């Protein structure tokens, strides 16, 4: 057997590479991935912490004013404005607005309402927000059953505390009221004549209300026996503000002038008039309530508020002109009547100049809604 034959046809006995080098690089890769994930979580947590001490103001209709902390003159409120600790929000005639906090808790403001974001305390396990209702009406809606946001609303007579549920608080003149749609809601009845004292504390359930007129408040301060809680009347949740706050599509139409019909000669052989069946709209339709397309925003963060006008939506997507990539709203729950999208410079979905947002919704079968296009000009 020649040497050439042996080299060509006989198997060579190569030394196997050890597995230690592969394992070493695998460990390095895993450590790198963990460090990247930790950095991402840290950045996301920091961004969330920054959002916990503020609320986003959205104007649904009419006009409003913001008196910023430390200032003496109020300024016209801009849509999607950020409200910070110490700021006062005032809605004018025929105006509706919303304050929304980081966890989705919404506080709706009726017209002629003054509300102060008195204080925000951020702790490890919970966040406490104190609002002072100077006058007017507000509707509170917590987004879900388990929330970290502990909300307290102070009026002249009551301290109202909640972490879940829906309810209406009114402070109009000498009258105050609390109407609970979904509870529980805790109401403390206060004596603020000197050092603050709690007269009585009651946990109110769904379908209960507390009406405090001037006579009831006087008796309460005198420590007399008064009825503080009673069942909610059916008409308490039927006005347009409450219906809008609960997510209904409320369209206020101006009354139409009634014209006198012209007299026509009656033909005895005239056929009976054909009664047309009312047209029932079908399909999935959406609309953006605020901000208004074409508006100029002087803030580096905005909130788009929308409603499902008809049909049932399973998902809602928003496409920003800066990226062209559709984004599915993770906070939207299938079947909800409203949706919200936050555009922020820090989120890389909002920039100086013109910003166009294209919004569509899909039902459970994948059928698409009408397309809503919103263009905003950012100058901050």
């Amino acid at each position: 057997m020649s040497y050439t034959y042996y080299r060509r046809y006989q198997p060579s006995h190569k030394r196997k590479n050890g597995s230690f080098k592969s394992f070493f690089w695998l460990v390095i890769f895993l450590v790198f991935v963990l460090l990247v994930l930790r950095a991402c979580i840290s950045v996301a947590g920091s961004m969330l912490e920054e959002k916990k001490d503020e609320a986003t103001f959205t104007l649904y209709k009419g006009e409003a004013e913001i008196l910023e902390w430390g200032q003496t003159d109020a300024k016209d409120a801009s849509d999607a404005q950020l409200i910070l600790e110490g700021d006062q929000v005032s809605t004018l005639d025929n105006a509706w607005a919303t304050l929304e906090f980081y966890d989705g808790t919404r506080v709706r403001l009726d017209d002629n309402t003054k509300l102060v974001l008195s204080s925000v305390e951020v702790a490890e396990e919970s966040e406490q927000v104190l609002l002072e209702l100077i006058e007017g009406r507000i509707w509170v809606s917590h987004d879900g059953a388990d929330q970290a946001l502990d909300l307290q609303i102070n009026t002249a007579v009551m301290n109202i505390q909640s972490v879940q549920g829906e309810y209406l608080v009114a402070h109009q003149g000498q009258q105050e009221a609390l109407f609970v749609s979904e509870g529980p809601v805790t109401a403390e009845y206060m004596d603020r004549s000197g050092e603050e004292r709690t007269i009585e504390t009651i946990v109110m359930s769904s379908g209960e209300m507390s009406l405090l007129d001037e006579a009831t408040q006087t008796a309460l301060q005198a420590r007399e026996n008064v009825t503080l809680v009673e069942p909610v009347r059916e008409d308490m949740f039927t006005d347009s503000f409450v219906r809008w706050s609960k997510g209904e599509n409320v369209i206020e139409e101006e009354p139409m002038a009634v014209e006198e019909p012209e007299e026509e000669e009656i033909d005895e052989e005239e056929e009976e008039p054909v009664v047309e069946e009312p047209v029932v709209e079908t399909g999935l339709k959406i609309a953006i309530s605020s901000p208004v397309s074409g508006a100029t925003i002087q803030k580096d963060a905005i909130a788009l508020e929308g409603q499902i006008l008809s049909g049932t939506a399973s998902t809602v997507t928003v496409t920003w002109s800066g990226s062209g990539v559709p984004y599915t709203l993770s906070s939207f729950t299938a079947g909800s009547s409203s949706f919200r999208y936050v555009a922020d410079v820090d989120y890389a979905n909002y920039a100086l100049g013109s910003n166009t947002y294209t919004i569509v919704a899909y039902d459970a079968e994948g059928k698409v809604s009408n397309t809503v296009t919103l263009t905003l000009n950012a100058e901050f």
Side-chain angles (χ1 to χ4, degrees):
M1 179 183 300
S2 66
Y3 177 75
T4 304
Y5 177 87
Y6 180 82
R7 288 287 305 274
R8 180 175 298 171
Y9 298 106
Q10 292 301 318
S12 59
H13 300 280
K14 297 182 179 180
R15 185 177 60 182
K16 295 183 179 180
N17 293 328
S19 61
F20 175 77
K21 184 180 294 184
S22 300
F23 177 75
F24 174 77
W25 287 111
L26 176 62
V27 171
I28 294 298
F29 174 75
L30 291 177
V31 171
F32 175 76
V33 171
L34 289 175
L35 290 176
V36 171
L37 288 176
R38 183 176 180 180
C40 294
I41 294 173
S42 178
V43 171
S46 299
M47 293 174 63
L48 180 60
E49 287 295 328
E50 293 178 356
K51 301 296 181 183
K52 288 183 177 182
D53 62 349
E54 65 187 28
T56 303
F57 174 83
T58 304
L59 190 61
Y60 179 77
K61 67 170 186 174
E63 297 179 352
E65 295 178 341
I66 306 296
L67 179 60
E68 296 181 349
W69 180 84
Q71 302 297 317
T72 56
D73 297 326
K75 299 179 181 179
D76 293 339
S78 61
D79 209 11
Q81 183 170 348
L82 296 181
I83 306 300
L84 303 177
E85 186 175 5
D87 293 348
Q88 174 180 297
V89 180
S90 301
T91 55
L92 306 183
D93 291 337
N94 300 316
W96 289 346
T98 302
L99 286 182
E100 182 161 354
F101 295 88
Y102 75 96
D103 69 335
T105 297
R106 293 184 177 90
V107 179
R108 307 274 195 181
L109 285 75
D110 198 2
D111 61 351
N112 299 310
T113 295
K114 290 184 179 181
L115 185 69
V116 179
L117 179 55
S118 295
S119 65
V120 179
E121 296 182 5
V122 179
E124 293 183 358
E125 298 181 355
S126 65
E127 289 73 42
Q128 294 182 336
V129 173
L130 173 61
L131 300 176
E132 182 180 356
L133 179 60
I134 299 175
E135 63 179 2
R137 298 196 306 168
I138 60 173
W139 176 273
V140 176
S141 177
H142 288 278
D143 188 14
D146 299 322
Q147 297 295 335
L149 183 63
D150 184 352
L151 184 63
Q152 180 172 320
I153 301 166
N154 289 358
T155 64
V157 180
M158 292 186 290
N159 291 348
I160 301 165
Q161 189 173 9
S162 63
V163 294
Q164 58 181 304
E166 293 185 336
Y167 54 94
L168 176 71
V169 183
H171 182 194
Q172 297 169 308
Q174 298 297 322
Q175 294 185 341
E176 295 190 11
L178 170 61
F179 308 97
V180 180
S181 177
E182 295 180 11
V185 178
T186 302
E188 290 183 331
Y189 299 87
M190 307 299 297
D191 182 354
R192 306 190 196 277
S193 57
E195 182 181 353
E196 287 197 0
R197 297 178 181 273
T198 302
I199 301 174
E200 188 167 352
T201 301
I202 297 177
V203 178
M204 298 177 60
S205 303
S206 305
E208 294 183 333
M209 68 178 183
S210 181
L211 296 175
L212 302 175
D213 56 19
E214 187 174 3
T216 304
Q217 293 182 39
T218 301
L220 180 66
Q221 300 299 325
R223 309 302 195 268
E224 298 178 4
N225 291 328
V226 293
T227 301
L228 294 175
V229 179
E230 55 186 301
V232 172
R233 298 197 300 266
E234 295 182 358
D235 61 342
M236 289 299 164
F237 299 134
T238 58
D239 67 28
S240 57
F241 168 70
V242 174
R243 288 166 52 210
W244 167 71
S245 299
K246 290 175 71 66
E248 296 185 27
N249 180 36
V250 179
I251 302 177
E252 296 184 347
E253 299 179 350
E254 296 182 358
M256 300 178 59
V258 179
E259 299 181 356
E260 293 292 334
E262 298 180 359
E263 295 183 1
E264 298 181 358
E265 296 181 359
I266 299 176
D267 187 354
E268 294 181 356
E269 297 181 358
E270 185 178 359
E271 296 181 358
E272 295 183 0
V274 177
V275 179
E276 296 182 357
E277 294 293 332
V279 178
V280 179
E281 294 185 359
T282 58
L284 183 58
K285 292 184 179 180
I286 64 174
I288 296 295
S289 57
S290 65
V292 178
S293 184
T296 298
I297 308 299
Q298 298 179 344
K299 299 289 182 180
D300 60 0
I302 60 174
L304 279 59
E305 296 280 352
Q307 282 79 38
I308 308 299
L309 301 181
S310 64
T312 302
S314 295
T315 58
V316 177
T317 64
V318 180
T319 303
W320 176 49
S321 57
S323 63
V325 179
Y327 171 75
T328 301
L329 300 185
S330 58
S331 61
F332 178 76
T333 303
S336 297
S337 59
S338 62
F339 57 88
R340 182 174 184 268
Y341 174 78
V342 175
D344 195 321
V345 173
D346 294 336
Y347 296 166
N349 60 355
Y350 183 58
L352 279 170
S354 179
N355 296 266
T356 300
Y357 300 91
T358 304
I359 305 98
V360 294
Y362 299 87
D363 63 13
E365 298 178 356
K367 296 180 180 179
V368 67
S369 69
N370 59 307
T371 301
V372 178
T373 302
L374 185 71
T375 300
L376 302 174
N377 185 37
E379 296 181 356
F380 51 86

